[in-house]
Amino acid sequence: MRSFCATCFLLKDGEIFSRKEIAKGLDNLRFAYGQLGYVNFTAIPNTRINEEGQTISLEVDVDEGKQFSVSSMRILGLDDHLLEDSPLRPGNIYNQRLARLFVQEHAPSSLADTSPDSRIHLQLDEGAGTLAIAFDFRDCPIE
């Protein structure tokens, strides 16, 4: 595991095992890799139970996949000029956190109850290692 995500799993040695905390840690790990452009990141938790010692060991098998950079960006439902405010730029490594922040900052109040991720659509070019982003602020977003 990369050192930047030492706090992804809040469950510490000696604490009671919690599937909920492990799931939250895996989500944190996925998000951390998403900030570095690894949109196809997968993590597979492997648990080993030691009944005699009453312990569980967790090992996470990580496949970060390819790192993606931004090829293009567009907005659906709002003015394209808003992209000038975005810290994401074509040529930069994709950052999931910045994409979410952009949606949160620009979503009309009528869309406040929707997940930012439901408004971010990525079209990947695996061969080139690039992705096109569509920010969808329409009332009925594309699926």
Side-chain angles (χ1 to χ4, degrees), residues 40-55:
N40 291 329
F41 170 84
T42 57
I44 301 169
N46 299 307
T47 55
R48 284 193 217 113
I49 300 173
N50 177 341
E51 290 189 30
E52 186 177 303
Q54 295 186 332
T55 60

Side-chain angles (χ1 to χ4, degrees), residues 13-138:
D13 287 347
E15 292 183 349
I16 305 262
F17 183 84
S18 165
R19 286 184 183 183
K20 182 179 176 182
E21 289 300 318
I22 298 303
K24 192 183 302 181
L26 292 170
D27 285 342
N28 292 342
L29 192 59
R30 189 174 301 105
F31 184 69
Y33 273 88
Q35 291 180 78
L36 299 173
Y38 296 102
V39 297
N40 291 329
F41 170 84
T42 57
I44 301 169
N46 299 307
T47 55
R48 284 193 217 113
I49 300 173
N50 177 341
E51 290 189 30
E52 186 177 303
Q54 295 186 332
T55 60
I56 297 177
S57 297
L58 175 69
E59 190 173 287
V60 180
D61 189 18
V62 170
D63 180 3
E64 61 189 21
K66 186 177 247 181
Q67 188 177 46
F68 286 83
S69 60
V70 178
S71 62
S72 64
M73 299 175 11
R74 66 186 177 126
I75 291 183
L76 304 171
L78 295 177
D79 190 340
D80 280 342
H81 288 49
L82 291 174
L83 289 174
E84 296 168 6
D85 294 338
S86 174
L88 288 170
R89 300 268 183 239
N92 290 356
I93 298 297
Y94 176 71
N95 184 320
Q96 181 180 10
R97 182 182 63 81
L98 295 178
R100 284 181 179 176
L101 285 172
F102 181 80
V103 170
Q104 290 168 341
E105 289 172 2
H106 294 90
S109 59
S110 62
L111 303 179
D113 62 338
T114 61
S115 163
D117 290 337
S118 71
R119 302 288 169 181
I120 302 166
H121 303 280
L122 306 177
Q123 184 175 0
L124 306 181
D125 181 337
E126 293 278 346
T130 60
L131 55 80
I133 307 170
F135 295 103
D136 193 345
F137 293 104
R138 298 177 297 180

